[in-house]
Amino acid sequence: MKLWAGRFQKETDTLVNDFNSSITFDARMYKEDITGSMAHAAMLGKQGIIEAHEAEKIIEGLKVILADIEAGQVEFSMENEDIHMNIETMLTQRIGDTGKRLHTARSRNDQVAVDFRLYVKGEIPKIIGMVLELEKVLVKKAEANLETVMPGYTHLQRAQPTTFGHYMMAYANMLRRDVTRLEDCLKRMDECPLGAGALATSTYPVDRFQTAAALGFQKPTDNSMDSVSDRDFAIEFLSACSILMMHLSRFSEEIILWCSWEFKYVELDDAYSTGSSIMPQKKNPDVAELVRGKTGRVYGSLMTLLTVMKALPLAYNKDMQEDKECVFDAIDTVEMCLPVFTAMLDTLTVLPKNMRAAASGGFINATDCADYLTKKGMPFREAYMIVGRLVNMCIKAGETLDTLPLKDFRSISNLFDADVYQALELKTCVNGRKVYGGPAREAVEQQIANIKAFVEAREHE
Ligand code: ARG
């Protein structure tokens, strides 16, 4: 019989039963549901809303249910709709009528809100930990590649020389923002909705500060209607996950390009690549491609929840039961992508010769050539024009700036001297860019130190 059967004269149609039920996916919040119920029961006992021995009996009963679920000895039923009613029903079956007192001064609306928050709150530190592991690998790769010159691109055209170390630190900075975004969203969701009841609290002397503290929240939420209507925390979390995945998808795309024979800047470890069923020569970057692809799933989850919540009137609406699968899927996806991506990056081999060869090819030092003239007194715009003419000359003659004879340089400007060749060396171009944030060794070392400090501050917390 349904918990709410009193009001009804007919059984629920089986179609509706299955349709309405969320137990197939909200069962994963069993622990949060039980912890929330324990805190609620303890508060009811302390406030004299139920007898102290009743509270104890409820809590003991819940403990046994938790242990049984964890031992795989519990089967949930569709009939009982969701995790909340499954556990409550099970409690009463086991401890008798005292179990029926648990739901005093509570609704499934505040119950689901607190369970879901506790669940997401518990996953965020895991994800942050995984991002920090990736940061450590980026630091390692950067430290090993402070002098590994490679082309930097704009429009995917060779633009200015940089180093692989500088490149790795770019991603490290993106991921650092992901960590702080997740931390921010964790801070904002750290308020407990329990005690909001269906929407308007209750007439019992419920102590929401007590349950909030018992469940590890900073404080109770301020408004009971908002408490049961709000899914912002989940939307924020999904948006932080989407941005994180966007970063991983860009990184994946670059790794895919870099593994191609057209680039060959890196070689993936055999354990982190796959072969083809027909083409014997193939070594495919499937891991990077899948991470790139799975980014779409996480964006989809964000769109799902934004759309579910759009225009919903206050307070709880059943639409909101659609909030969980998308969040769970995003959590599973992000938690699956991060460790495999990190391991793939960790085991990847950098091919400095190929990077340098590419950097030497495409007039990547043209800006430096213009800067050379500028440092000798010529206005930059004029120098820029002259180097453009030189590049044109080189292309026609099949030369590069490094190989063009001095007389050709001087035919365009007599400010050019023999020292131009040194100014155009890739090493000079990179190490000359010592500006804060730049690719020179000491600038990248500073970036590495900043990321290390960021990671360490979190690991020693
Ligand atoms: N299974 C529901 C959900 O996930 C729990 C809340 C139900 N509340 C209600 N008033 N029907 O949203």
Side-chain angles (χ1 to χ4, degrees):
M1 197 177 66
K2 289 256 188 272
L3 280 174
W4 34 259
R7 157 80 177 75
F8 293 79
Q9 270 152 24
K10 272 187 177 177
E11 291 280 306
T12 319
D13 189 278
T14 48
L15 273 177
V16 174
N17 228 353
D18 293 352
F19 185 64
N20 209 31
S21 165
S22 54
I23 187 64
T24 51
F25 52 86
D26 65 17
R28 78 150 91 183
M29 304 192 304
Y30 69 87
K31 202 182 213 153
E32 290 71 20
D33 194 71
I34 290 177
T35 333
S37 288
M38 284 178 174
H40 182 65
M43 183 276 296
L44 292 178
K46 186 139 183 260
Q47 295 299 101
I49 301 170
I50 62 176
E51 300 286 336
H53 68 88
E54 293 174 322
E56 256 165 54
K57 197 167 174 186
I58 290 174
I59 292 168
E60 281 314 306
L62 289 168
K63 270 189 200 156
V64 180
I65 293 177
L66 178 59
D68 287 353
I69 297 175
E70 298 206 311
Q73 284 163 1
V74 169
E75 253 191 58
F76 297 118
S77 85
M78 292 283 261
E79 173 70 15
N80 285 321
E81 200 175 319
D82 54 25
I83 188 65
H84 326 294
M85 295 209 289
N86 264 275
I87 288 176
E88 194 190 328
T89 307
M90 212 177 297
L91 181 71
T92 302
Q93 278 163 0
R94 291 177 177 213
I95 68 166
D97 282 353
T98 312
K100 296 184 182 165
R101 299 202 184 272
L102 170 62
H103 212 54
T104 315
R106 186 176 73 169
S107 154
R108 272 187 299 156
N109 298 349
D110 56 342
Q111 193 178 354
V112 72
V114 75
D115 290 7
F116 197 27
R117 268 194 207 224
L118 282 172
Y119 190 87
V120 178
K121 261 188 83 184
E123 294 302 316
I124 291 179
K126 286 192 212 165
I127 296 175
I128 290 179
M130 290 174 178
V131 180
L132 295 179
E133 288 305 311
L134 177 50
E135 290 284 38
K136 286 194 258 178
V137 170
L138 284 165
V139 162
K140 195 164 96 182
K141 290 280 168 200
E143 281 174 333
N145 290 285
L146 290 166
E147 309 275 349
T148 309
V149 175
M150 69 180 286
Y153 298 85
T154 62
H155 312 267
L156 207 55
Q157 302 285 320
R158 291 173 192 162
Q160 288 178 347
T162 180
T163 66
F164 193 67
H166 190 224
Y167 222 113
M168 291 302 100
M169 281 300 105
Y171 281 105
N173 275 274
M174 292 149 78
L175 293 164
R176 177 169 57 182
R177 289 194 295 276
D178 292 320
V179 169
T180 54
R181 241 186 301 276
L182 287 164
E183 287 173 346
D184 278 354
C185 114
L186 189 58
K187 253 181 252 157
R188 235 182 324 277
M189 75 172 72
D190 202 11
E191 297 184 352
C192 185
L194 192 61
L199 74 163
T201 72
S202 67
T203 52
Y204 299 93
V206 158
D207 183 355
R208 296 189 58 213
F209 287 86
Q210 189 188 320
T211 44
L215 293 171
F217 287 97
Q218 276 297 315
K219 61 183 279 293
T221 45
D222 268 356
N223 176 286
S224 65
M225 290 209 75
D226 177 46
S227 310
V228 288
S229 315
D230 172 37
R231 294 294 182 269
D232 291 4
F233 65 95
I235 296 175
E236 271 193 56
F237 169 71
L238 288 175
S239 97
C241 287
S242 296
I243 299 175
L244 166 62
M245 288 302 293
M246 179 268 287
H247 291 154
L248 293 187
S249 80
R250 296 180 73 172
F251 205 167
S252 295
E253 169 74 8
E254 304 226 70
I255 289 173
I256 294 160
L257 286 173
W258 294 341
C259 297
S260 72
W261 282 103
E262 282 67 15
F263 283 78
K264 261 298 166 238
Y265 289 175
V266 298
E267 175 87 33
L268 291 180
D269 192 90
D270 278 3
Y272 290 91
S273 29
T274 48
S276 151
S277 59
I278 172 171
M279 297 165 280
Q281 84 285 12
K282 289 297 284 292
K283 181 169 169 183
N284 295 330
D286 282 26
V287 171
E289 290 170 73
L290 262 178
V291 169
R292 187 175 61 181
K294 283 177 189 290
T295 302
R297 281 176 90 106
V298 178
Y299 289 6
S301 291
L302 172 63
M303 278 309 127
T304 299
L305 192 52
L306 278 171
T307 313
V308 166
M309 296 307 293
K310 176 181 178 291
L312 282 189
L314 304 188
Y316 179 82
N317 300 272
K318 189 75 174 194
D319 314 44
M320 289 159 76
Q321 182 166 285
E322 290 294 313
D323 60 359
K324 280 173 277 303
E325 286 156 293
C326 52
V327 170
F328 295 157
D329 190 74
I331 289 170
D332 293 344
T333 305
V334 169
E335 291 183 0
M336 193 154 52
C337 288
L338 278 166
V340 67
F341 186 90
T342 303
M344 174 189 64
L345 183 68
D346 196 18
T347 52
L348 148 166
T349 308
V350 178
L351 303 171
K353 264 198 205 139
N354 296 347
M355 290 185 180
R356 175 170 281 274
S360 309
F363 303 101
I364 209 158
N365 44 11
T367 315
D368 298 83
C369 190
D371 287 342
Y372 171 91
L373 292 174
T374 309
K375 282 172 193 160
K376 294 203 167 188
M378 185 183 282
F380 179 77
R381 205 30 87 208
E382 230 170 273
Y384 169 95
M385 190 62 87
I386 282 179
V387 177
R389 282 166 58 202
L390 277 171
V391 167
N392 200 5
M393 182 190 270
C394 285
I395 291 170
K396 281 187 188 138
E399 303 275 1
T400 66
L401 289 172
D402 321 64
T403 57
L404 191 72
L406 186 57
K407 66 168 179 20
D408 292 332
F409 275 105
R410 291 183 65 89
S411 72
I412 294 198
S413 166
N414 56 17
L415 285 179
F416 283 115
D417 279 313
D419 61 351
V420 68
Y421 295 107
Q422 206 218 320
L424 292 178
E425 272 177 29
L426 288 177
K427 210 165 70 192
T428 319
C429 304
V430 169
N431 285 330
R433 293 179 157 84
K434 298 184 203 304
V435 177
Y436 189 83
R441 172 183 262 276
E442 52 266 59
V444 175
E445 279 170 345
Q446 176 67 61
Q447 294 159 41
I448 291 174
N450 292 348
I451 295 294
K452 274 186 166 169
F454 177 82
V455 172
E456 274 157 27
R458 275 145 190 87
E459 290 196 327
H460 297 147
E461 243 171 29

PDB file of all heavy atoms in Angstrom, residues 87-112:
ATOM      1  N   ILE A  87      13.218   3.874   1.931  1.00  0.00           N
ATOM      2  CA  ILE A  87      13.911   3.731   3.215  1.00  0.00           C
ATOM      3  C   ILE A  87      12.931   3.910   4.378  1.00  0.00           C
ATOM      4  O   ILE A  87      12.966   3.155   5.351  1.00  0.00           O
ATOM      5  CB  ILE A  87      15.125   4.684   3.290  1.00  0.00           C
ATOM      6  CG1 ILE A  87      16.207   4.127   2.349  1.00  0.00           C
ATOM      7  CG2 ILE A  87      15.659   4.794   4.718  1.00  0.00           C
ATOM      8  CD1 ILE A  87      17.433   4.959   2.210  1.00  0.00           C
ATOM      9  N   GLU A  88      12.029   4.869   4.243  1.00  0.00           N
ATOM     10  CA  GLU A  88      11.061   5.080   5.327  1.00  0.00           C
ATOM     11  C   GLU A  88      10.183   3.833   5.530  1.00  0.00           C
ATOM     12  O   GLU A  88       9.938   3.399   6.657  1.00  0.00           O
ATOM     13  CB  GLU A  88      10.193   6.309   5.020  1.00  0.00           C
ATOM     14  CG  GLU A  88       9.413   6.768   6.235  1.00  0.00           C
ATOM     15  CD  GLU A  88       8.357   7.821   5.906  1.00  0.00           C
ATOM     16  OE1 GLU A  88       8.573   8.631   4.981  1.00  0.00           O
ATOM     17  OE2 GLU A  88       7.304   7.818   6.584  1.00  0.00           O
ATOM     18  N   THR A  89       9.742   3.265   4.416  1.00  0.00           N
ATOM     19  CA  THR A  89       8.889   2.069   4.504  1.00  0.00           C
ATOM     20  C   THR A  89       9.657   0.907   5.135  1.00  0.00           C
ATOM     21  O   THR A  89       9.150   0.200   6.008  1.00  0.00           O
ATOM     22  CB  THR A  89       8.403   1.666   3.091  1.00  0.00           C
ATOM     23  OG1 THR A  89       7.813   2.817   2.490  1.00  0.00           O
ATOM     24  CG2 THR A  89       7.395   0.540   3.134  1.00  0.00           C
ATOM     25  N   MET A  90      10.892   0.762   4.691  1.00  0.00           N
ATOM     26  CA  MET A  90      11.741  -0.307   5.215  1.00  0.00           C
ATOM     27  C   MET A  90      11.940  -0.137   6.719  1.00  0.00           C
ATOM     28  O   MET A  90      11.908  -1.103   7.485  1.00  0.00           O
ATOM     29  CB  MET A  90      13.099  -0.197   4.513  1.00  0.00           C
ATOM     30  CG  MET A  90      13.816  -1.490   4.296  1.00  0.00           C
ATOM     31  SD  MET A  90      15.332  -1.141   3.379  1.00  0.00           S
ATOM     32  CE  MET A  90      14.681  -0.497   1.849  1.00  0.00           C
ATOM     33  N   LEU A  91      12.104   1.106   7.133  1.00  0.00           N
ATOM     34  CA  LEU A  91      12.324   1.387   8.558  1.00  0.00           C
ATOM     35  C   LEU A  91      11.121   0.926   9.384  1.00  0.00           C
ATOM     36  O   LEU A  91      11.271   0.248  10.403  1.00  0.00           O
ATOM     37  CB  LEU A  91      12.579   2.891   8.762  1.00  0.00           C
ATOM     38  CG  LEU A  91      12.841   3.329  10.205  1.00  0.00           C
ATOM     39  CD1 LEU A  91      14.216   2.848  10.676  1.00  0.00           C
ATOM     40  CD2 LEU A  91      12.751   4.853  10.346  1.00  0.00           C
ATOM     41  N   THR A  92       9.940   1.284   8.931  1.00  0.00           N
ATOM     42  CA  THR A  92       8.733   0.911   9.674  1.00  0.00           C
ATOM     43  C   THR A  92       8.531  -0.602   9.673  1.00  0.00           C
ATOM     44  O   THR A  92       8.159  -1.186  10.683  1.00  0.00           O
ATOM     45  CB  THR A  92       7.517   1.650   9.089  1.00  0.00           C
ATOM     46  OG1 THR A  92       7.791   3.047   9.165  1.00  0.00           O
ATOM     47  CG2 THR A  92       6.252   1.360   9.882  1.00  0.00           C
ATOM     48  N   GLN A  93       8.840  -1.221   8.528  1.00  0.00           N
ATOM     49  CA  GLN A  93       8.733  -2.693   8.489  1.00  0.00           C
ATOM     50  C   GLN A  93       9.651  -3.313   9.527  1.00  0.00           C
ATOM     51  O   GLN A  93       9.331  -4.316  10.147  1.00  0.00           O
ATOM     52  CB  GLN A  93       9.149  -3.216   7.111  1.00  0.00           C
ATOM     53  CG  GLN A  93       8.043  -3.135   6.074  1.00  0.00           C
ATOM     54  CD  GLN A  93       8.598  -3.263   4.643  1.00  0.00           C
ATOM     55  OE1 GLN A  93       9.806  -3.416   4.442  1.00  0.00           O
ATOM     56  NE2 GLN A  93       7.717  -3.176   3.663  1.00  0.00           N
ATOM     57  N   ARG A  94      10.794  -2.689   9.728  1.00  0.00           N
ATOM     58  CA  ARG A  94      11.784  -3.294  10.622  1.00  0.00           C
ATOM     59  C   ARG A  94      11.589  -2.933  12.093  1.00  0.00           C
ATOM     60  O   ARG A  94      11.748  -3.789  12.964  1.00  0.00           O
ATOM     61  CB  ARG A  94      13.189  -2.894  10.191  1.00  0.00           C
ATOM     62  CG  ARG A  94      13.577  -3.537   8.881  1.00  0.00           C
ATOM     63  CD  ARG A  94      14.935  -3.043   8.482  1.00  0.00           C
ATOM     64  NE  ARG A  94      15.364  -3.688   7.258  1.00  0.00           N
ATOM     65  CZ  ARG A  94      16.633  -3.968   6.986  1.00  0.00           C
ATOM     66  NH1 ARG A  94      17.573  -3.664   7.857  1.00  0.00           N
ATOM     67  NH2 ARG A  94      16.948  -4.540   5.863  1.00  0.00           N
ATOM     68  N   ILE A  95      11.303  -1.641  12.387  1.00  0.00           N
ATOM     69  CA  ILE A  95      11.249  -1.260  13.809  1.00  0.00           C
ATOM     70  C   ILE A  95       9.817  -1.028  14.295  1.00  0.00           C
ATOM     71  O   ILE A  95       9.596  -0.661  15.443  1.00  0.00           O
ATOM     72  CB  ILE A  95      12.121  -0.025  14.126  1.00  0.00           C
ATOM     73  CG1 ILE A  95      11.549   1.252  13.468  1.00  0.00           C
ATOM     74  CG2 ILE A  95      13.573  -0.227  13.675  1.00  0.00           C
ATOM     75  CD1 ILE A  95      12.159   2.530  14.020  1.00  0.00           C
ATOM     76  N   GLY A  96       8.875  -1.203  13.399  1.00  0.00           N
ATOM     77  CA  GLY A  96       7.474  -1.044  13.801  1.00  0.00           C
ATOM     78  C   GLY A  96       7.024   0.406  13.791  1.00  0.00           C
ATOM     79  O   GLY A  96       7.666   1.259  13.159  1.00  0.00           O
ATOM     80  N   ASP A  97       5.964   0.689  14.516  1.00  0.00           N
ATOM     81  CA  ASP A  97       5.282   1.978  14.451  1.00  0.00           C
ATOM     82  C   ASP A  97       6.155   3.211  14.742  1.00  0.00           C
ATOM     83  O   ASP A  97       5.858   4.296  14.244  1.00  0.00           O
ATOM     84  CB  ASP A  97       4.061   1.983  15.381  1.00  0.00           C
ATOM     85  CG  ASP A  97       2.889   1.224  14.743  1.00  0.00           C
ATOM     86  OD1 ASP A  97       3.029   0.841  13.545  1.00  0.00           O
ATOM     87  OD2 ASP A  97       1.867   1.014  15.419  1.00  0.00           O
ATOM     88  N   THR A  98       7.201   3.031  15.522  1.00  0.00           N
ATOM     89  CA  THR A  98       8.087   4.176  15.800  1.00  0.00           C
ATOM     90  C   THR A  98       8.611   4.769  14.495  1.00  0.00           C
ATOM     91  O   THR A  98       8.790   5.984  14.380  1.00  0.00           O
ATOM     92  CB  THR A  98       9.282   3.742  16.689  1.00  0.00           C
ATOM     93  OG1 THR A  98       8.756   2.991  17.775  1.00  0.00           O
ATOM     94  CG2 THR A  98      10.050   4.929  17.199  1.00  0.00           C
ATOM     95  N   GLY A  99       8.833   3.906  13.516  1.00  0.00           N
ATOM     96  CA  GLY A  99       9.328   4.353  12.207  1.00  0.00           C
ATOM     97  C   GLY A  99       8.421   5.395  11.581  1.00  0.00           C
ATOM     98  O   GLY A  99       8.874   6.270  10.843  1.00  0.00           O
ATOM     99  N   LYS A 100       7.138   5.313  11.918  1.00  0.00           N
ATOM    100  CA  LYS A 100       6.156   6.240  11.334  1.00  0.00           C
ATOM    101  C   LYS A 100       6.310   7.666  11.863  1.00  0.00           C
ATOM    102  O   LYS A 100       5.674   8.586  11.362  1.00  0.00           O
ATOM    103  CB  LYS A 100       4.732   5.731  11.613  1.00  0.00           C
ATOM    104  CG  LYS A 100       4.442   4.391  10.951  1.00  0.00           C
ATOM    105  CD  LYS A 100       3.001   3.989  11.183  1.00  0.00           C
ATOM    106  CE  LYS A 100       2.689   2.623  10.569  1.00  0.00           C
ATOM    107  NZ  LYS A 100       1.441   2.069  11.084  1.00  0.00           N
ATOM    108  N   ARG A 101       7.109   7.818  12.927  1.00  0.00           N
ATOM    109  CA  ARG A 101       7.299   9.167  13.480  1.00  0.00           C
ATOM    110  C   ARG A 101       8.417   9.945  12.781  1.00  0.00           C
ATOM    111  O   ARG A 101       8.541  11.155  12.963  1.00  0.00           O
ATOM    112  CB  ARG A 101       7.621   9.084  14.969  1.00  0.00           C
ATOM    113  CG  ARG A 101       6.509   8.426  15.766  1.00  0.00           C
ATOM    114  CD  ARG A 101       6.570   8.821  17.227  1.00  0.00           C
ATOM    115  NE  ARG A 101       5.549   8.105  17.974  1.00  0.00           N
ATOM    116  CZ  ARG A 101       4.294   8.550  18.122  1.00  0.00           C
ATOM    117  NH1 ARG A 101       3.928   9.707  17.611  1.00  0.00           N
ATOM    118  NH2 ARG A 101       3.407   7.835  18.784  1.00  0.00           N
ATOM    119  N   LEU A 102       9.245   9.235  11.996  1.00  0.00           N
ATOM    120  CA  LEU A 102      10.400   9.894  11.369  1.00  0.00           C
ATOM    121  C   LEU A 102      10.011  11.085  10.506  1.00  0.00           C
ATOM    122  O   LEU A 102      10.700  12.101  10.474  1.00  0.00           O
ATOM    123  CB  LEU A 102      11.193   8.867  10.525  1.00  0.00           C
ATOM    124  CG  LEU A 102      12.282   9.437   9.607  1.00  0.00           C
ATOM    125  CD1 LEU A 102      13.374  10.142  10.411  1.00  0.00           C
ATOM    126  CD2 LEU A 102      12.919   8.330   8.754  1.00  0.00           C
ATOM    127  N   HIS A 103       8.911  10.960   9.785  1.00  0.00           N
ATOM    128  CA  HIS A 103       8.577  12.002   8.802  1.00  0.00           C
ATOM    129  C   HIS A 103       7.862  13.217   9.422  1.00  0.00           C
ATOM    130  O   HIS A 103       7.406  14.107   8.705  1.00  0.00           O
ATOM    131  CB  HIS A 103       7.762  11.401   7.661  1.00  0.00           C
ATOM    132  CG  HIS A 103       7.992  12.068   6.330  1.00  0.00           C
ATOM    133  ND1 HIS A 103       9.241  12.228   5.760  1.00  0.00           N
ATOM    134  CD2 HIS A 103       7.132  12.644   5.441  1.00  0.00           C
ATOM    135  CE1 HIS A 103       9.125  12.850   4.601  1.00  0.00           C
ATOM    136  NE2 HIS A 103       7.861  13.118   4.378  1.00  0.00           N
ATOM    137  N   THR A 104       7.792  13.259  10.763  1.00  0.00           N
ATOM    138  CA  THR A 104       7.200  14.420  11.440  1.00  0.00           C
ATOM    139  C   THR A 104       7.995  15.682  11.073  1.00  0.00           C
ATOM    140  O   THR A 104       9.229  15.657  11.102  1.00  0.00           O
ATOM    141  CB  THR A 104       7.295  14.238  12.983  1.00  0.00           C
ATOM    142  OG1 THR A 104       6.905  12.905  13.303  1.00  0.00           O
ATOM    143  CG2 THR A 104       6.415  15.251  13.705  1.00  0.00           C
ATOM    144  N   ALA A 105       7.279  16.746  10.714  1.00  0.00           N
ATOM    145  CA  ALA A 105       7.913  18.044  10.439  1.00  0.00           C
ATOM    146  C   ALA A 105       8.873  17.981   9.256  1.00  0.00           C
ATOM    147  O   ALA A 105       9.860  18.701   9.199  1.00  0.00           O
ATOM    148  CB  ALA A 105       8.641  18.565  11.676  1.00  0.00           C
ATOM    149  N   ARG A 106       8.614  17.088   8.333  1.00  0.00           N
ATOM    150  CA  ARG A 106       9.480  16.978   7.168  1.00  0.00           C
ATOM    151  C   ARG A 106       8.630  16.642   5.951  1.00  0.00           C
ATOM    152  O   ARG A 106       7.536  16.083   6.100  1.00  0.00           O
ATOM    153  CB  ARG A 106      10.503  15.864   7.399  1.00  0.00           C
ATOM    154  CG  ARG A 106      11.540  15.758   6.310  1.00  0.00           C
ATOM    155  CD  ARG A 106      12.582  14.718   6.621  1.00  0.00           C
ATOM    156  NE  ARG A 106      12.070  13.344   6.482  1.00  0.00           N
ATOM    157  CZ  ARG A 106      12.844  12.268   6.492  1.00  0.00           C
ATOM    158  NH1 ARG A 106      14.143  12.385   6.653  1.00  0.00           N
ATOM    159  NH2 ARG A 106      12.313  11.080   6.349  1.00  0.00           N
ATOM    160  N   SER A 107       9.128  16.994   4.790  1.00  0.00           N
ATOM    161  CA  SER A 107       8.460  16.646   3.531  1.00  0.00           C
ATOM    162  C   SER A 107       9.524  16.027   2.640  1.00  0.00           C
ATOM    163  O   SER A 107      10.722  16.231   2.855  1.00  0.00           O
ATOM    164  CB  SER A 107       7.909  17.916   2.884  1.00  0.00           C
ATOM    165  OG  SER A 107       7.804  17.762   1.491  1.00  0.00           O
ATOM    166  N   ARG A 108       9.099  15.293   1.628  1.00  0.00           N
ATOM    167  CA  ARG A 108      10.102  14.804   0.688  1.00  0.00           C
ATOM    168  C   ARG A 108      10.739  15.965  -0.068  1.00  0.00           C
ATOM    169  O   ARG A 108      11.812  15.819  -0.650  1.00  0.00           O
ATOM    170  CB  ARG A 108       9.474  13.816  -0.301  1.00  0.00           C
ATOM    171  CG  ARG A 108       9.479  12.392   0.214  1.00  0.00           C
ATOM    172  CD  ARG A 108       9.025  11.462  -0.848  1.00  0.00           C
ATOM    173  NE  ARG A 108       7.668  11.778  -1.276  1.00  0.00           N
ATOM    174  CZ  ARG A 108       7.161  11.467  -2.471  1.00  0.00           C
ATOM    175  NH1 ARG A 108       7.900  10.837  -3.358  1.00  0.00           N
ATOM    176  NH2 ARG A 108       5.927  11.777  -2.772  1.00  0.00           N
ATOM    177  N   ASN A 109      10.058  17.121  -0.035  1.00  0.00           N
ATOM    178  CA  ASN A 109      10.617  18.258  -0.769  1.00  0.00           C
ATOM    179  C   ASN A 109      11.905  18.774  -0.144  1.00  0.00           C
ATOM    180  O   ASN A 109      12.882  19.046  -0.854  1.00  0.00           O
ATOM    181  CB  ASN A 109       9.588  19.382  -0.884  1.00  0.00           C
ATOM    182  CG  ASN A 109       8.361  18.934  -1.649  1.00  0.00           C
ATOM    183  OD1 ASN A 109       8.367  17.860  -2.258  1.00  0.00           O
ATOM    184  ND2 ASN A 109       7.306  19.731  -1.628  1.00  0.00           N
ATOM    185  N   ASP A 110      11.910  18.931   1.188  1.00  0.00           N
ATOM    186  CA  ASP A 110      13.184  19.337   1.810  1.00  0.00           C
ATOM    187  C   ASP A 110      14.131  18.142   1.902  1.00  0.00           C
ATOM    188  O   ASP A 110      15.351  18.286   1.846  1.00  0.00           O
ATOM    189  CB  ASP A 110      12.999  20.041   3.166  1.00  0.00           C
ATOM    190  CG  ASP A 110      12.221  19.230   4.198  1.00  0.00           C
ATOM    191  OD1 ASP A 110      11.519  18.279   3.818  1.00  0.00           O
ATOM    192  OD2 ASP A 110      12.308  19.589   5.402  1.00  0.00           O
ATOM    193  N   GLN A 111      13.542  16.950   1.977  1.00  0.00           N
ATOM    194  CA  GLN A 111      14.375  15.748   2.069  1.00  0.00           C
ATOM    195  C   GLN A 111      15.197  15.552   0.797  1.00  0.00           C
ATOM    196  O   GLN A 111      16.414  15.352   0.858  1.00  0.00           O
ATOM    197  CB  GLN A 111      13.455  14.538   2.305  1.00  0.00           C
ATOM    198  CG  GLN A 111      14.171  13.287   2.733  1.00  0.00           C
ATOM    199  CD  GLN A 111      13.180  12.134   2.994  1.00  0.00           C
ATOM    200  OE1 GLN A 111      11.952  12.331   2.959  1.00  0.00           O
ATOM    201  NE2 GLN A 111      13.697  10.961   3.252  1.00  0.00           N
ATOM    202  N   VAL A 112      14.542  15.638  -0.351  1.00  0.00           N
ATOM    203  CA  VAL A 112      15.281  15.436  -1.606  1.00  0.00           C
ATOM    204  C   VAL A 112      16.279  16.575  -1.816  1.00  0.00           C
ATOM    205  O   VAL A 112      17.399  16.367  -2.299  1.00  0.00           O
ATOM    206  CB  VAL A 112      14.336  15.264  -2.825  1.00  0.00           C
ATOM    207  CG1 VAL A 112      13.657  16.558  -3.219  1.00  0.00           C
ATOM    208  CG2 VAL A 112      15.094  14.690  -4.012  1.00  0.00           C
TER     209      VAL A 112
END
